[in-house]
Amino acid sequence: MTINILAFGIAKEIVGGTSTSADLPSHTTVAQLRRRLEEQYPRLGKLASYMIAVNNEYAATDSLINEQDEVAIIPPVSGG
Amino acid sequence: MVDILITGKPIDTQACINMASSPHSGGIDVFIGTVRAATKGKEVVRLEFEAYRPMAVSEIKKITAQMLQKWPLHHIIIHHRTGILKVGDIAVVIVVSAAHRDAAFDACRYAINTLKQTVPIWKKEVFLDGEEWVAAHP
C-alpha cells in the first residue's frame, strides 16, 4: 500500500515538502514506518524526538497503519 | 463555554476576555504569550508559527477537558496565532474564568504548560544570521 505522510515544522524541511509517500506492506506498524522514514531521511533520526500521528492522534509504536489513514510526522512541538 | 481558535489573524485579547466573563466569575486569569526580542542572547527578527490545525484543535480540546475535570471553571478561551510574527506580537491568549482566583490561576498555568508539551504547533526563530526550529534538536 502507498501511504501519504504529512510533514510539519523541521520535518517539512527534511522531507523537502509538506508531504511524502511510502510504499509499505499492509499491516505495517508505526515502528516499521519510523524505520523506513529514517532510512530514507537520516536527519529525522537526529531530531531530539519525533512522533507519528495517525488520524490526528499520537500513535503508539505498535499501532497498525491502514491505507486510508491520515499519517503525519510530528517533530518536537514548540507552540505557545 | 470552551472556545478554541487557531488563526492566521491577530488575536483579539479583549474579545477573549469578554467571552470568559460572566456575573458569577469572580476571577478571570489571562495569559498572553508574546514574541520575545532575543533567545540565548541572539536577536530575533521574527517568528514563524505553523500548526497541524485539526490535530492542534483536538489536542487543545483534550487540555480543556482535563482542566474542567480538575478545577471548577466557568469558561476557557484558547486562541493561538500562526504565520509570521514580529517582536511584541501576541502568539497565544489563554483566558480562564472561575468563581475564585485560585482555580483560574492554576488552570491557566496548566493550560499553557500542557499546550507547550502536546499541541502540534511549531515555531521557527529567525535571527539576523540564521534560523532555527525551536526544540527540534537536542
Side-chain angles (χ1 to χ4, degrees):
Chain A
M1 62 179 182
T2 302
I3 56 159
N4 185 51
I5 304 147
L6 303 174
F8 297 93
I10 195 166
K12 202 170 62 179
E13 294 178 2
I14 292 172
V15 308
T18 55
S19 70
T20 182
S21 62
D23 287 317
L24 296 161
S26 48
H27 307 298
T28 292
T29 64
V30 165
Q32 289 168 316
L33 171 65
R34 291 174 64 100
R35 274 200 293 278
R36 170 70 69 84
L37 287 169
E38 287 175 36
E39 282 166 17
Q40 199 174 346
Y41 305 108
R43 284 174 64 203
L44 269 184
K46 298 196 166 57
L47 296 177
S49 64
Y50 72 95
M51 296 288 287
I52 297 295
V54 177
N55 300 328
N56 293 308
E57 295 281 347
Y58 290 110
T61 50
D62 59 355
S63 300
L64 289 173
I65 296 169
N66 298 304
E67 196 159 16
Q68 289 78 24
D69 287 338
E70 181 171 307
V71 179
I73 304 170
I74 309 289
V77 302
S78 52
Chain B
M1 178 187 71
V2 169
D3 190 79
I4 297 164
L5 181 69
I6 311 280
T7 176
K9 299 191 185 118
I11 297 171
D12 185 341
T13 306
Q14 188 59 52
C16 293
I17 295 169
N18 293 348
M19 274 190 273
S21 303
S22 74
H24 299 287
S25 303
I28 301 176
D29 199 84
V30 182
F31 174 80
I32 302 174
T34 63
V35 177
R36 204 173 35 236
T39 291
K40 295 171 199 152
K42 287 173 83 175
E43 187 184 338
V44 170
V45 178
R46 66 174 188 273
L47 291 189
E48 297 177 14
F49 281 90
E50 181 183 344
Y52 181 14
R53 198 176 288 237
M55 184 173 170
V57 170
S58 140
E59 287 295 321
I60 293 174
K61 271 187 194 151
K62 286 182 193 169
I63 296 172
T64 59
Q66 290 154 8
M67 292 163 72
L68 291 166
Q69 281 199 334
K70 284 170 177 276
W71 292 281
L73 306 176
H74 294 164
H75 304 293
I76 307 170
I77 316 299
I78 301 182
H79 288 194
H80 202 299
R81 179 96 183 263
T82 56
I84 295 173
L85 276 73
K86 56 186 195 310
V87 172
D89 283 349
I90 295 173
V92 62
V93 170
I94 300 177
V95 185
V96 180
S97 62
H100 303 286
R101 68 184 180 284
D102 281 349
F105 271 123
D106 293 350
C108 191
R109 177 185 290 274
Y110 176 84
I112 184 61
N113 288 349
T114 312
L115 180 150
K116 281 174 167 283
Q117 290 166 3
T118 65
V119 177
I121 297 176
W122 299 269
K123 63 172 163 267
K124 183 163 74 175
E125 288 174 328
V126 180
F127 306 106
L128 289 170
D129 60 348
E131 55 183 47
E132 185 179 320
W133 286 100
V134 175
H137 290 105

